[in-house]
Amino acid sequence: MEQVCLKKEKMKKAKRTVVNEMKIRMPAISENEGTARSVIGAFAARLDPTVEELADLRCAVSEAVTNAVVHGYGNCGGVLYISVRAYSDRSVCVEIKDKGRGIEDVKTAMLPLYTTDKSGERSGMGFAVMQSFTDHVRVRSVPGKGTAVTLIKRLSRTEE
């Protein structure tokens, strides 16, 4: 199993507890990209993020779901497994898994502008977008068995 972590920032584990969580299983079809984005956005909205933080998280989720649909399953269907947790330190962790093709070389796949798309429709910026809109991105993949993308976004403190 190949695993790559970018933006390796230590998450404070002391007194960090799960305050809410949710799991979703849905067909890996392009129409569900918007559904996943909306559901994760609604879940995170309960933590009262800024508009920008919410938009960032929704965009990163869109990219991860699109990668699973397009690259993991080749637009031929399958199942997306999405879990999301909210923590007491105001961080949100979203994991998007597929049981598709997997990624042969995760480090290379995460390079900006790298794409396996021969049609020219894909820019190869999916992982770069995820990295720019979250605090931590982890990709675990096994060729022929699937990929799991974990996104962590820390939300700012709200004023009491």
Side-chain angles (χ1 to χ4, degrees):
M1 174 184 284
E2 185 170 0
Q3 177 174 317
V4 174
C5 294
L6 294 177
K7 291 188 178 181
K8 292 182 181 180
E9 297 177 14
K10 298 286 183 187
M11 298 293 290
K12 289 184 180 180
K13 298 212 178 192
K15 298 181 184 176
R16 181 176 177 236
T17 58
V18 175
V19 295
N20 198 4
E21 63 185 320
M22 172 179 64
K23 291 185 179 188
I24 305 166
R25 179 182 163 187
M26 63 176 56
I29 56 175
S30 60
E31 292 87 348
N32 281 339
E33 176 269 325
T35 303
R37 182 181 62 234
S38 295
V39 169
I40 300 304
F43 179 91
R46 304 220 51 230
L47 297 171
D48 196 26
T50 66
V51 171
E52 183 178 349
E53 289 168 336
L54 193 55
D56 289 352
L57 184 61
R58 288 169 46 104
C59 185
V61 166
S62 293
E63 291 296 330
V65 168
T66 298
N67 274 1
V69 171
V70 172
H71 300 293
Y73 292 117
N75 280 318
C76 293
V79 178
L80 294 174
Y81 304 88
I82 303 172
S83 63
V84 59
R85 287 190 173 114
Y87 290 92
S88 56
D89 68 353
R90 296 185 45 75
S91 62
V92 177
C93 178
V94 180
E95 183 178 59
I96 296 154
K97 293 198 284 191
D98 66 65
K99 293 183 179 179
R101 297 178 184 147
I103 302 170
E104 291 287 333
D105 182 349
V106 173
K107 285 183 184 179
T108 299
M110 292 182 79
L111 293 173
L113 302 177
Y114 176 81
T115 183
T116 57
D117 178 43
K118 305 295 184 221
S119 71
E121 289 183 32
R122 303 288 170 192
S123 67
M125 293 300 293
F127 286 122
V129 169
M130 288 179 236
Q131 292 163 351
S132 68
F133 289 125
T134 62
D135 296 297
H136 182 82
V137 175
R138 180 176 67 211
V139 178
R140 296 181 320 266
S141 192
V142 177
K145 295 196 177 194
T147 301
V149 174
T150 303
L151 308 167
I152 298 175
K153 178 75 175 171
R154 285 189 202 92
L155 306 177
S156 60
R157 296 280 175 206
T158 56
E159 294 193 24
E160 301 296 323

